[in-house]
Amino acid sequence: MTTSEQTLTTGAWTLDPAHSSVNFTVRHLGISKVRGRFNKFDTSFVVDPSGAAATIEATVYLDSFDTGNEQRDAHTRSADLLDVEKRPTLHFKALEPVQVAEEFEVTGEVTLGGVTKSVTLDVEWGGVREHQDGKRHAGFSATGTIKRTEFDVAPGLPNAMLSDKIAIELDIQLIEPQA
């Protein structure tokens, strides 16, 4: 892991949703992986005056769950699994400002319904580049794992049917604050 810090423009960076995604992978029946994404999410990435540290938050809207199979997606949104009527969002908040470097970890709290658990994400910083729109964009990828039963998601469903571990993969592009 490198310790070289990045210097970023101070302020709130804006999510570029056209170049960002929140994806997941979960094992089904222990024999195959189901992959999907959440089509709606928000982020907050605010760089402090030093230009090296940022506060991070994100909200994922669970009704935007999408695996490409409408029947499976409807069942997953139901009270049997995610129960999006009672738990419409998953929220992540970093516990402290992070020092942005080529690779780093972000530990934060994930809240789903009334349950909050600590989760650590491994982050790979992609850097900052000027886009054809004339604005500077920054990008990063992050991976982590949550356990569905810790958040009371289908706790009675055996792991042999649906894995307890859900891999999360984020690819986020942000737009630099404009003066």
Side-chain angles (χ1 to χ4, degrees), residues 128-150:
V128 179
R129 298 258 170 137
E130 188 166 323
H131 187 272
Q132 65 188 15
D133 64 8
K135 298 175 184 173
R136 288 179 7 124
H137 289 227
F140 65 88
S141 298
T143 58
T145 304
I146 62 173
K147 292 186 176 184
R148 66 176 170 80
T149 56
E150 287 183 349

Side-chain angles (χ1 to χ4, degrees), residues 73-86:
D73 296 351
H75 180 240
T76 300
R77 288 185 199 101
S78 77
D80 290 346
L81 294 165
L82 287 177
D83 198 0
V84 299
E85 285 191 30
K86 290 184 181 174

Side-chain angles (χ1 to χ4, degrees), residues 47-175:
V47 177
D48 74 7
S50 76
T55 58
I56 299 173
E57 287 190 57
T59 301
V60 176
Y61 299 91
L62 300 180
D63 64 350
S64 71
F65 180 89
D66 182 5
T67 64
N69 181 298
E70 290 181 28
Q71 184 178 2
R72 175 176 50 216
D73 296 351
H75 180 240
T76 300
R77 288 185 199 101
S78 77
D80 290 346
L81 294 165
L82 287 177
D83 198 0
V84 299
E85 285 191 30
K86 290 184 181 174
R87 299 183 288 214
T89 62
L90 178 146
H91 186 78
F92 174 85
K93 182 176 182 175
L95 295 176
E96 58 188 32
V98 297
Q99 298 293 315
V100 176
E102 289 178 39
E103 294 179 1
F104 58 99
E105 290 183 344
V106 177
T107 299
E109 292 183 334
V110 170
T111 301
L112 177 59
V115 180
T116 301
K117 297 288 180 182
S118 180
V119 172
T120 298
L121 300 173
D122 294 316
V123 182
E124 177 185 341
W125 183 252
V128 179
R129 298 258 170 137
E130 188 166 323
H131 187 272
Q132 65 188 15
D133 64 8
K135 298 175 184 173
R136 288 179 7 124
H137 289 227
F140 65 88
S141 298
T143 58
T145 304
I146 62 173
K147 292 186 176 184
R148 66 176 170 80
T149 56
E150 287 183 349
F151 293 95
D152 200 30
V153 173
L157 195 61
N159 281 345
M161 183 70 119
L162 185 67
S163 175
D164 193 28
K165 292 182 181 180
I166 300 171
I168 306 295
E169 196 175 304
L170 305 129
D171 288 296
I172 303 296
Q173 197 168 120
L174 304 163
I175 304 169

Side-chain angles (χ1 to χ4, degrees), residues 16-80:
D16 178 354
H19 297 102
S20 300
S21 62
V22 175
N23 304 294
F24 62 88
T25 304
V26 63
R27 277 208 178 271
H28 181 253
L29 297 178
I31 59 172
S32 65
K33 293 179 180 178
V34 173
R35 299 175 192 280
R37 63 182 287 144
F38 291 96
N39 293 315
K40 186 176 177 195
F41 51 92
D42 295 319
T43 62
S44 171
F45 185 88
V46 181
V47 177
D48 74 7
S50 76
T55 58
I56 299 173
E57 287 190 57
T59 301
V60 176
Y61 299 91
L62 300 180
D63 64 350
S64 71
F65 180 89
D66 182 5
T67 64
N69 181 298
E70 290 181 28
Q71 184 178 2
R72 175 176 50 216
D73 296 351
H75 180 240
T76 300
R77 288 185 199 101
S78 77
D80 290 346

